[in-house]
Amino acid sequence: MGKVENSHGEADVALVSEATAVDNEMFAVLADEHRRFALYTLLQFRQLTLEELADVVAGWTNADGWRAVTREQRDAVLLALHHNHVPMLEAAGYVEYDDETDELSLAALPTSLYDLVTYARKHERVSAGELERRDSTANDSDDAENGSDTADGGSGET
């Protein structure tokens, strides 16, 4: 039999071992980017109003390059958080929500969920703006390397 190659680093192997204690509810919570972004935000700030959380999550999920999030996009995220995502996070015991003050706070997370959330945050998709900048930078450097800085696509013919 062939040797099994481990392409993951040591930290990843430790995470996989820890993940055996993860239950389906944790994966269900992390399956939606709005809930992941809400947890990322609450890990950083610990306590926010629902409005503040909606601002951050809307920015992460709707920002298109360098364009600002529209009022409609932000309001849609606010409604989704209020009616769907926050209740699910609260039911799982990961956040506490106070209806009177409209404030969310992070509850004590199980170690396995904390590890999954911090791992996911490090590897979450990059924003469209970062992809566009990377693509344009890569294309610019490819063009320069190939000598294609001429108007005819780099053929150099005149």
Side-chain angles (χ1 to χ4, degrees), residues 28-71:
V29 165
L30 295 176
D32 185 90
E33 71 180 351
H34 291 91
R35 290 188 295 272
R36 287 192 310 275
F37 292 156
L39 287 172
Y40 302 158
T41 305
L42 287 167
L43 277 171
Q44 182 174 356
F45 295 104
R46 301 288 183 213
Q47 186 172 1
L48 293 168
T49 66
L50 189 58
E51 298 269 336
E52 292 168 330
L53 182 63
D55 288 340
V56 175
V57 173
W60 276 342
T61 58
N62 289 298
D64 181 21
W66 292 97
R67 292 183 204 105
V69 174
T70 65
R71 166 72 60 195

Side-chain angles (χ1 to χ4, degrees), residues 57-142:
V57 173
W60 276 342
T61 58
N62 289 298
D64 181 21
W66 292 97
R67 292 183 204 105
V69 174
T70 65
R71 166 72 60 195
E72 292 79 17
Q73 290 171 321
R74 187 225 175 250
D75 290 347
V77 169
L78 178 63
L79 284 172
L81 286 170
H82 183 64
H83 294 291
N84 184 16
H85 304 302
V86 169
M88 187 174 192
L89 291 167
E90 190 177 27
Y94 304 146
V95 301
E96 296 170 1
Y97 178 63
D98 184 339
D99 284 326
E100 291 180 23
T101 62
D102 212 27
E103 288 190 342
L104 288 141
S105 57
L106 188 64
L109 298 177
T111 303
S112 53
L113 178 65
Y114 177 83
D115 290 344
L116 285 171
V117 169
T118 55
Y119 181 84
R121 177 63 187 113
K122 289 178 186 175
H123 297 85
E124 190 70 56
R125 66 177 171 85
V126 293
S127 72
E130 289 174 356
L131 285 175
E132 289 171 9
R133 286 192 303 279
R134 288 181 185 171
D135 289 346
S136 69
T137 303
N139 290 339
D140 291 346
S141 64
D142 289 346

